[in-house]
């Protein structure tokens, strides 16, 4: 099964992708996570991506397309995968088509902008394994520590309100048109993001099971 999550920054794509990945045993490929990993390691890719990410802008298409093309060739993708945060522009979606990758289902998680700005301030990520938490909506058992690997939790530099607003602007301008792109192919389903993670998960899994028949 090849699934894609679309949605504004902070809509809950990564959170749902993590849950769906465990349930169906297929890997999640998040360009944001891959770029943050490169930044943490201080590689050339990470250094060049940092200025775009910290400002809330998109990393150039050619860079992320190259990352995805390389990643999808790995063995763990042969029985399916979840794309989280890619594609983010129409040229990226066209590049995916040109790679011969035919998505089964594209799930767009819808959350109003006002909710996103307040939600982002409470997000925490694990430094070691990248798992996502929220201080109110999805807290870890021990404050500041990851439930899965005991890694330290941190706040992303691009989760400050000014940068979140710029990311929302970029989303509406460059990424939202992808909803029409995949709707016209008959692949798009919409899930209304709920107040609680588990409620969004129930709607997401129902959409997937409906597709699987
Ligand atoms: P990326 O990491 O992909 O960021 P994003 O798309 O902005 O999405 P987020 O990770 O911020 O949010 P999410 O929807 O996954 O939400 P989450 O589940 O964490 O990209 C970062 C940057 O990298 C980009 O800005 C860009 O510069 C660059 N980049 C990446 N891909 C690129 C590409 N293809 N092309 C060009 N540049 C690219 O949830 C958010 C918070 O809310 C969490 O704390 C969570 O616990 C909580 N939460 C989740 N669901 C709920 C719920 N239902 N109720 C309450 N709280 C919830």
């Amino acid at each position: 099964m090849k699934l894609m999550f679309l949605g504004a920054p902070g809509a809950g794509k990564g959170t749902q992708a993590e849950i769906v990945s465990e349930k169906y045993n297929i890997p999640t490929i998040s360009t944001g996570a891959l770029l943050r990993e490169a930044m943490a390691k201080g590689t050339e890719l990470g250094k060049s991506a940092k200025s775009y990410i910290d400002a809330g802008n998109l990393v150039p298409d050619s860079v992320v397309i190259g990352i995805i093309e390389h990643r999808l060739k790995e063995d763990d993708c042969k029985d399916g995968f979840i794309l989280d945060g890619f594609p983010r522009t129409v040229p990226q979606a066209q590049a995916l088509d040109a790679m011969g990758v035919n998505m089964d289902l594209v799930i767009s998680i819808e959350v109003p902008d006002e909710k996103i700005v307040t939600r982002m301030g409470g997000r925490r990520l694990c430094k070691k394994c990248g798992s996502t938490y929220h201080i109110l909506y999805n807290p870890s058992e021990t404050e500041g520590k990851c439930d899965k690997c005991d890694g330290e939790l941190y706040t992303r530099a691009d989760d400050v309100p000014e940068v979140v607003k710029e990311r929302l602007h970029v989303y509406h301008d460059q990424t939202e048109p992808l909803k029409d792109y995949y709707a016209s192919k008959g692949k798009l389903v919409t899930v209304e993001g709920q107040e609680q993670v588990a409620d969004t998960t129930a709607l997401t899994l129902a959409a997937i099971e409906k597709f699987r028949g």
Side-chain angles (χ1 to χ4, degrees):
M1 181 166 56
K2 297 187 188 106
L3 282 180
M4 181 190 293
F5 280 104
L6 285 180
K13 306 179 293 293
T15 301
Q16 296 305 321
E18 217 171 294
I19 295 166
V20 172
S21 167
E22 274 177 33
K23 181 168 169 66
Y24 295 99
N25 200 21
I26 47 175
T28 295
I29 299 165
S30 156
T31 36
L34 291 170
L35 291 166
R36 277 188 292 282
E37 202 180 299
M39 277 160 55
K41 285 184 184 154
T43 63
E44 284 310 311
L45 166 68
K47 283 183 207 155
S48 67
K50 189 174 179 344
S51 57
Y52 297 102
I53 293 179
D54 286 355
N57 294 321
L58 294 183
V59 173
D61 286 341
S62 57
V63 175
V64 284
I65 290 167
I67 293 175
I68 283 291
E69 198 162 17
H70 181 76
R71 180 65 184 87
L72 291 181
K73 286 186 183 142
E74 287 183 32
D75 240 23
D76 62 342
C77 293
K78 64 181 190 309
D79 295 330
F81 49 81
I82 301 165
L83 290 181
D84 163 20
F86 182 94
R88 245 180 165 93
T89 62
V90 171
Q92 290 180 21
Q94 290 166 336
L96 194 62
D97 292 344
M99 287 174 218
V101 176
N102 191 13
M103 301 309 295
D104 293 311
L105 191 63
V106 176
I107 300 176
S108 177
I109 304 180
E110 305 288 325
V111 177
D113 287 7
E114 320 76 76
K115 271 199 187 156
I116 283 177
V117 179
T118 40
R119 200 191 261 187
M120 298 299 249
R123 171 161 58 185
R124 299 291 180 269
L125 287 185
C126 173
K127 266 190 186 165
K128 255 204 230 167
C129 74
S131 291
T132 304
Y133 298 89
H134 191 282
I135 52 171
L136 297 177
Y137 306 119
N138 184 23
S140 59
E141 276 166 25
T142 310
E143 201 188 320
K145 292 277 177 200
C146 177
D147 294 345
K148 293 181 185 159
C149 71
D150 208 35
E152 193 187 327
L153 302 186
Y154 76 103
T155 305
R156 268 168 53 172
D158 60 349
D159 276 351
V160 296
E162 316 81 76
V163 180
V164 171
K165 282 183 191 148
E166 179 56 23
R167 287 163 63 200
L168 281 168
H169 169 72
V170 170
Y171 167 75
H172 291 303
D173 190 42
Q174 301 197 50
T175 309
E176 211 166 16
L178 290 177
K179 289 201 275 182
D180 284 343
Y181 186 91
Y182 287 108
S184 71
K185 292 174 184 280
K187 308 277 185 192
L188 187 81
V189 292
T190 298
V191 162
E192 294 296 328
Q194 304 294 309
E195 287 297 325
Q196 296 298 323
V197 172
D199 295 335
T200 306
T201 302
L203 295 175
T204 301
L205 294 180
I208 295 172
E209 285 307 317
K210 189 170 173 204
F211 158 76
R212 283 161 61 93

